[in-house]
Amino acid sequence: MKSQSAGIGFFGLAAMVVGTMIGGGAFNLPGAMAQGAGVGSVMIGWTITGVGMIMLAFVFQFLADSRPELEGGIYAYAKEGFGKFVGFNSGWGYWMSAWIGTVANITLIFSTLSYFFPIFSAEHRLFRLVMSAFLIWGLFWLISRGMKEAALLNIVTTIAKLVPIFLFIVLILFAFQIETFQIDVWGESGFSWSHVFPQVKSTMLVTLWAFVGIEGAVVLSSRARNKRDVGRATVIGLIGTLLIYMMISIFSFGVMTQEQLTALPEPSMAYVLEAVVGPLGATIINIGLLVSLAGALLGWTILATEISYVASRDGVFPKLFNRLNRNDTPVSALFITQAFTQAVTVIALFSEQTYLVLSSIAGIAALVPYLFSALFGWKEARRTGVRKMVLVSSVASLYAAWLLYASGIEYMLIAMILYAPGIFVFMLAEREQGRKFLSGIQYAIATVIILAATYGVYGLWTAAISL
């Protein structure tokens, strides 16, 4: 590893947080939030999300400051607090989340490009497949030239993607109509907790994916020029992004009704602005989305590579992920990540999986690392006697647990299908280290994962037969 003076500074870390959070999800917020909730429920959902995510950001800041030796962030926190197998599953889940999220962003890139060039539309699958290979292996070439250099490029794309977003917010504020905003604030049935609660719950998966990336600076902590920048970048990046998200989704209800927002194609933000200023609005947003997605692809690939490399360096992932090239880039981890990304992209393109489905699966896969990071924050706060952080980490843990509940059993079972193969990867790493494959509580955890995955496969098979 290179010296700290050659590491990533505060702005690079903050750009990684903002750049990975603000990807394709931001540009689809108006329609995605309106799918199952009126504006009143959306505001409640953002309030819950804001409190939960800010608490989680404070946990990351606390852990980054109090335990700077734990490199790799959410993987290292789970390993330190709950053992190697839990740490592995956090790293494995986060790694999967990152490259599945990359696949989701690739599908949205093609959907956006089809607005300008019809050849990118869904029926031209072979062309899409060839272009996905250019994207995926172009990123491999770019990042292999240096992680710091790639992080600096991420700063540029982050700034570029914020310009059309701020323009969108300003223009819809001018077009905002209070009469439109007040239509069916709580949905067609009016206000009742029995009616509002399911609406709030429906916003959770959308808001979850919108904030996946909050840990970007923490994951790159081993490459930070100043360890204290990690926590500050996380909190500042989160608060700024939260404000942007709330303005995009809530102000859109003052331009279109819930019914109109729900009917918009992806990316819905483009068509909201088109309703305000005409086709030029959609063009501006779609160009901004392409820049945003390019930055998100770069950021997520960096994070997936780094988390698998750090885990391999610790002997938790197989040694195959552990080779550096002359540019200090974990080139073997990068290659494996891109190979999996390419394979799943082929499946997604030929099975017509939508951005929302893929991003939801990626969000669920990231929940386990979030939950164990929050729980470790609670343990560390108790150990060090920091009472304020005991409360903060408790709220963050409850929020992560709530998200698991709100995600629904279907997505949880799909996530377990993804986690199950990781057991054998962990066993391979243990064999390389000359240790027993599984022991004690590890057997119980592995058994639960395998049973849940088996039930999930059965459910998918049954659903496929019934079609």
Side-chain angles (χ1 to χ4, degrees):
M1 190 70 64
K2 294 180 180 178
S3 65
Q4 290 292 84
S5 61
I8 301 171
F10 170 79
F11 289 106
L13 294 169
M16 185 59 65
V17 174
V18 176
T20 48
M21 281 195 289
I22 300 181
F27 290 80
N28 205 43
L29 276 176
M33 294 295 280
Q35 287 287 335
V39 65
S41 300
V42 167
M43 289 190 287
I44 294 175
W46 278 123
T47 301
I48 296 172
T49 298
V51 172
M53 278 295 173
I54 289 173
M55 295 302 103
L56 187 59
F58 282 138
V59 169
F60 284 138
Q61 183 181 34
F62 168 67
L63 292 174
D65 291 343
S66 64
R67 299 296 300 273
E69 77 279 6
L70 296 179
E71 298 180 345
I74 54 178
Y75 142 75
Y77 300 153
K79 175 175 174 284
E80 180 72 11
F82 306 98
K84 182 175 291 186
F85 189 49
V86 173
F88 167 83
N89 278 291
S90 286
W92 178 259
Y94 188 79
W95 180 65
M96 290 190 302
S97 173
W99 52 257
I100 293 173
T102 297
V103 175
N105 286 329
I106 289 173
T107 65
L108 191 54
I109 283 177
F110 292 154
S111 176
T112 305
L113 283 171
S114 67
Y115 182 87
F116 303 103
F117 310 104
I119 195 171
F120 282 95
S121 57
E123 58 265 24
H124 298 102
R125 291 190 178 93
L126 185 58
F127 178 76
R128 281 185 162 202
L129 181 59
V130 172
M131 296 309 297
S132 73
F134 275 109
L135 275 175
I136 292 166
W137 298 107
L139 283 169
F140 174 84
W141 173 82
L142 180 64
I143 297 172
S144 66
R145 297 174 65 85
M147 295 284 274
K148 180 187 175 186
E149 289 74 13
L152 290 174
L153 179 59
N154 187 62
I155 297 177
V156 177
T157 60
T158 299
I159 294 171
K161 74 175 67 175
L162 290 175
V163 174
I165 289 176
F166 286 139
L167 179 62
F168 173 87
I169 292 170
V170 170
L171 290 176
I172 63 170
L173 271 176
F174 278 106
F176 187 89
Q177 297 290 329
I178 190 64
E179 295 83 6
T180 304
F181 185 80
Q182 292 174 336
I183 296 175
D184 294 332
V185 172
W186 302 106
E188 294 180 358
S189 302
F191 178 83
S192 70
W193 283 115
S194 61
H195 180 62
V196 169
F197 180 77
Q199 292 187 55
V200 173
K201 185 179 173 183
S202 77
T203 68
M204 290 295 101
L205 270 183
V206 179
T207 58
L208 167 62
W209 176 241
F211 285 108
V212 172
I214 183 179
E215 69 295 324
V218 175
V219 172
L220 292 179
S221 59
S222 65
R223 298 177 184 271
R225 186 178 304 148
N226 183 342
K227 297 286 188 180
R228 297 195 67 84
D229 285 341
V230 173
R232 293 193 302 121
T234 300
V235 173
I236 293 172
L238 179 277
I239 293 174
T241 304
L242 173 63
L243 293 174
I244 290 171
Y245 283 163
M246 291 181 70
M247 288 188 286
I248 290 173
S249 56
I250 294 173
F251 292 165
S252 294
F253 282 93
V255 176
M256 290 182 167
T257 65
Q258 180 187 355
E259 182 180 1
Q260 291 170 327
L261 290 171
T262 301
L264 294 178
E266 300 174 352
S268 56
M269 189 169 153
Y271 298 96
V272 172
L273 195 58
E274 184 178 57
V276 175
V277 298
L280 177 62
T283 300
I284 291 171
I285 295 302
N286 278 316
I287 292 173
L289 174 57
L290 290 173
V291 174
S292 180
L293 289 170
L297 290 179
L298 178 62
W300 277 115
T301 305
I302 291 173
L303 295 182
T305 300
E306 184 71 4
I307 199 77
S308 56
Y309 163 69
V310 172
S312 177
R313 190 185 62 191
D314 290 350
V316 178
F317 270 39
K319 295 177 181 177
L320 188 62
F321 289 83
N322 199 14
R323 188 170 70 84
L324 295 171
N325 66 8
R326 62 182 181 180
N327 297 318
D328 197 37
T329 300
V331 67
S332 57
L334 176 60
F335 178 83
I336 296 168
T337 296
Q338 297 307 80
F340 272 87
T341 303
Q342 183 70 80
V344 176
T345 299
V346 173
I347 296 171
L349 293 179
F350 281 86
S351 63
E352 298 184 353
Q353 292 302 313
T354 67
Y355 171 80
L356 282 177
V357 170
L358 289 166
S359 61
S360 295
I361 294 171
I364 294 301
L367 274 180
V368 170
Y370 285 178
L371 177 59
F372 281 108
S373 293
L375 290 172
F376 177 62
W378 181 83
K379 286 185 65 176
E380 188 67 12
R382 288 284 301 271
R383 184 185 69 84
T384 57
V386 184
R387 293 183 179 180
K388 179 178 71 174
M389 287 309 305
V390 171
L391 176 60
V392 168
S393 56
S394 296
V395 174
S397 299
L398 289 172
Y399 174 67
W402 155 257
L403 285 177
L404 281 170
Y405 162 74
S407 64
I409 187 65
E410 296 86 358
Y411 280 116
M412 280 299 302
L413 291 175
I414 291 174
M416 289 302 100
I417 295 173
L418 297 174
Y419 272 91
I423 296 170
F424 302 100
V425 177
F426 177 76
M427 291 167 63
L428 174 61
E430 291 292 271
R431 181 178 181 181
E432 290 177 347
Q433 301 295 323
R435 294 187 290 261
K436 291 183 178 180
F437 292 164
L438 293 171
S439 59
I441 190 65
Q442 295 176 352
Y443 279 115
I445 298 172
T447 300
V448 171
I449 293 174
I450 291 172
L451 289 175
T454 303
Y455 187 72
V457 170
Y458 171 76
L460 291 176
W461 175 257
T462 303
I465 293 175
S466 65
L467 291 178

